[in-house]
Amino acid sequence: MTHAPPPPLSSPSAAVRLRLVSQPAQGHVAQRIDGAWWPRSPDLATELPRLLAGLPHAWGQVTSVLVDEAVWSPFPNRLLVANQVVRLRRTTTQHSPSTVCLLAPGRGRWDLMVVPPAATGAEAGRLMGSMATALDISVGWGVAVR
């Protein structure tokens, strides 16, 4: 098992680049895509702790993550994030766009579109905008933090 260092919270460059679909006040409604995430690198062991730290508290503790292994550099099967073991599962199914699936027992499943780490700000904005349009939500690039 790999231990992930805690994400530095004081650095603006460390903020998670995340856009989430608004959820109703009463529980999670199943949707195809729940948001979009733009990691800074293909290093899942570094990027995942930042993502998990930036998720809404109401999502609970994510204990399992399913990712397309072709998108990421090699990563372990388990990662210790904030004293919580997170199981990392791989898929070789090509998704267009690439996604990451987050599972929290008793809370639900969330699927996030992954914007390629090498994308420019303009490309990321376009991808985020297309995700928002497809889901019929308001468009706006921003950083979501807890």
Side-chain angles (χ1 to χ4, degrees):
M1 176 170 20
T2 302
H3 294 270
L9 298 177
S10 60
S11 169
S13 65
V16 64
R17 299 182 294 189
L18 180 64
R19 170 124 176 114
L20 300 175
V21 174
S22 296
Q23 298 295 323
Q26 296 296 319
H28 176 73
V29 174
Q31 299 181 57
R32 190 170 152 248
I33 296 291
D34 297 291
W37 173 42
W38 183 21
R40 288 177 163 59
S41 78
D43 182 359
L44 187 62
T46 298
E47 299 298 329
L48 188 61
R50 290 182 186 139
L51 171 63
L52 298 181
L55 294 176
H57 184 69
W59 285 20
Q61 290 185 324
V62 172
T63 61
S64 184
V65 178
L66 177 65
V67 298
D68 178 359
E69 70 179 338
V71 173
W72 305 98
S73 54
F75 56 89
N77 292 328
R78 294 179 298 171
L79 191 62
L80 187 62
V81 179
N83 296 320
Q84 169 79 27
V85 175
V86 178
R87 298 193 188 290
L88 305 176
R89 298 186 348 227
R90 296 161 170 80
T91 181
T92 56
T93 305
Q94 295 296 322
H95 295 254
S96 184
S98 178
T99 60
V100 60
C101 175
L102 309 170
L103 300 168
R107 295 291 179 106
R109 166 189 172 150
W110 294 272
D111 293 284
L112 302 176
M113 178 183 77
V114 177
V115 175
T120 65
E123 292 169 327
R126 182 183 54 76
L127 289 169
M128 298 289 238
S130 66
M131 184 245 352
T133 300
L135 295 171
D136 195 30
I137 62 173
S138 62
V139 177
W141 173 249
V143 176
V145 293
R146 269 196 303 179

